[in-house]
Amino acid sequence: MKPEEDNGIHPAVRSLTELLPPPPAGVDAPSWSDVRTSWGTAFPRDYRDFMRVYGPGDIDNVIAVATPENRHEPGYLTVRRVTPETGVKFRTFYGERNFPAWPALGSLIGWGATPIGYDLMWRVSGNDADDWPVVLAGYRDGAAYEFPYGMAEFLVRMLGDPVDRPTDLPGVLGHPHSRFLSVPEERTFRAARQDPWEYVDEFMEERERERMERSPVTWIPGPGRPTYDLPPVPRMTLEGFGADENALRITATLDVELGEPVRARVSIESPDGGLLDRAEVVATVERLNGLLVLDIRLPEEANDSGMTWRETVNAMNREEDWTLDVWVQDPAIGEARARHGIVVGHNMQESAVDIAMAMWP
């Protein structure tokens, strides 16, 4: 856009340009006379100015802004496609409400869409399009929310502090991290076999790292699940595990006395498969109320997974399909089972009769 063309731009669009850089290559604006002929109405001024400055495209791959033209090219979302063809019913703050089909007063015209089931629309509140309020309509939950301002101000507010945003659309990064990509820009990325939204993943990963550093999970309490393949006598229980400075610390209890030193084996599996298997780990032993308390520590140098112990514990806390197994082997375990008439357990071989195991989760 040339500097002299800045005169008369809608104030909300001017504010938006300070938060969201427009495409550097410029935009081919639609023919508004043709649009008015096609629709039988003018469109809001802020939307017309948005199309003049930005054109159709996406913000953070979350908010897709539609073109008013009936374009059938790949990548273009059109107003016609987002606009309901028939009357629709949504729950609102004022109860269920019927919105008639365009061009009736009170109908909805769509100007944007999201990948999570919400469309962005105007409610046709009268003959002056500049007075049309924005409506966020959710087809999955059947709810609609109306905001007393236009689309450009809605976008400005969405790029501000998350606490003050008009609604929660996950993935909108906000200023200064959000980007707008026009349809031609996104096509250029795709043609070069580049992900145009890679910056979104990088931003989210960085925020997750910051969150973990601010409030890391340092201890995951047990007990874990029963070891169905081994007899319940003697009983070994995983009491918990966590990151203790630069070490992984595991606490387990066993209701039988063992010879010392007590050596344990520790195995961790991630959702992608085996992560760690360490044998002959010497455990510190204490005795409490008839239980043997095993304190097992794996130092940082015992971890060759590529993750720190703190990162591993955080991942185990928030992701599924992680497992941790701890087992010890001692003749006293087999002798305790023999006293109860247990020689082998379900699917257990004779060679494993001296093994006790604890598992998480």
Side-chain angles (χ1 to χ4, degrees):
M1 185 176 62
K2 298 178 182 179
E4 61 268 19
E5 293 176 340
D6 186 63
N7 295 329
I9 191 172
H10 192 282
V13 176
R14 183 179 294 111
S15 297
L16 190 61
T17 61
E18 298 172 359
L19 304 176
L20 194 69
V27 173
D28 293 329
S31 168
W32 292 108
S33 60
D34 291 347
V35 171
R36 179 158 191 159
T37 299
S38 173
W39 281 87
T41 182
F43 277 65
R45 178 188 158 205
D46 62 339
Y47 174 72
R48 299 198 308 269
D49 284 349
F50 182 95
M51 284 293 125
R52 176 159 64 102
V53 175
Y54 290 91
D58 279 70
I59 299 174
D60 295 339
N61 203 26
V62 175
I63 298 177
V65 181
T67 175
E69 300 173 298
N70 294 327
R71 304 181 72 153
H72 302 290
E73 302 170 59
Y76 281 94
L77 179 70
T78 65
V79 169
R80 186 75 66 182
R81 178 180 166 190
V82 188
T83 299
E85 296 180 355
T86 61
V88 289
K89 179 187 291 186
F90 289 107
R91 295 192 318 277
T92 71
F93 288 123
Y94 309 102
E96 283 197 337
R97 181 172 178 178
N98 290 303
F99 296 87
W102 166 260
L105 186 66
S107 60
L108 299 174
I109 297 179
W111 60 264
T114 74
I116 55 174
Y118 290 94
D119 283 350
L120 292 158
M121 307 187 183
W122 296 287
R123 179 173 63 84
V124 181
S125 58
N127 293 326
D128 188 346
D130 290 343
D131 293 334
W132 294 352
V134 165
V135 172
L136 179 74
Y139 287 98
R140 293 179 183 174
D141 60 10
Y145 308 91
E146 184 172 301
F147 306 98
Y149 37 75
M151 63 87 68
E153 184 172 347
F154 176 86
L155 295 178
V156 168
R157 291 172 181 256
M158 284 300 301
L159 296 175
D161 190 322
V163 175
D164 298 324
R165 292 179 185 177
T167 188
D168 179 26
L169 292 179
V172 177
L173 307 187
H175 177 74
H177 310 288
S178 284
R179 300 180 193 174
F180 176 86
L181 287 181
S182 66
V183 174
E185 286 179 305
E186 184 172 353
R187 282 180 173 174
T188 300
F189 275 99
R190 302 288 186 195
R193 299 185 181 276
Q194 297 177 7
D195 180 2
W197 310 111
E198 184 177 7
Y199 73 92
V200 175
D201 294 335
E202 293 173 350
F203 177 88
M204 294 301 184
E205 290 171 2
E206 178 62 27
R207 288 297 176 269
E208 178 64 16
R209 283 193 293 269
E210 293 175 357
R211 186 191 69 80
M212 291 195 319
E213 291 172 359
R214 287 195 303 269
S215 56
V217 175
T218 57
W219 190 258
I220 298 177
R225 65 182 186 272
T227 55
Y228 297 107
D229 287 348
L230 296 181
V233 177
R235 184 177 301 278
M236 186 174 180
T237 302
L238 183 65
E239 301 295 340
F241 64 95
D244 186 0
E245 295 183 346
N246 293 328
L248 177 68
R249 182 180 179 185
I250 304 167
T251 301
T253 56
L254 186 62
D255 57 358
V256 66
E257 186 70 28
L258 303 181
E260 295 191 28
V262 175
R263 301 181 187 275
R265 184 169 185 171
V266 178
S267 174
I268 298 176
E269 286 203 13
S270 73
D272 297 326
L275 185 75
L276 178 140
D277 191 358
R278 290 288 180 270
E280 297 295 310
V281 181
V282 177
T284 301
V285 177
E286 294 184 6
R287 291 160 180 82
L288 179 66
N289 298 327
L291 292 176
L292 204 66
V293 182
L294 309 180
D295 188 1
I296 304 165
R297 290 174 181 264
L298 291 174
E300 185 175 16
E301 54 267 25
N303 181 9
D304 57 5
S305 67
M307 305 170 66
T308 66
W309 287 128
R310 191 175 299 274
E311 290 171 339
T312 300
V313 172
N314 270 279
M316 295 174 78
N317 177 66
R318 71 179 189 274
E319 298 174 5
E320 297 181 354
D321 297 330
W322 284 82
T323 63
L324 184 149
D325 298 339
V326 180
W327 62 94
V328 296
Q329 185 169 5
D330 192 281
I333 296 171
E335 293 168 4
R337 288 175 176 153
R339 288 194 295 271
H340 287 79
I342 300 171
V343 179
V344 294
H346 176 64
N347 290 333
M348 190 175 76
Q349 304 299 318
E350 287 281 357
S351 59
V353 74
D354 293 340
I355 293 175
M357 181 182 290
M359 295 174 154
W360 177 90

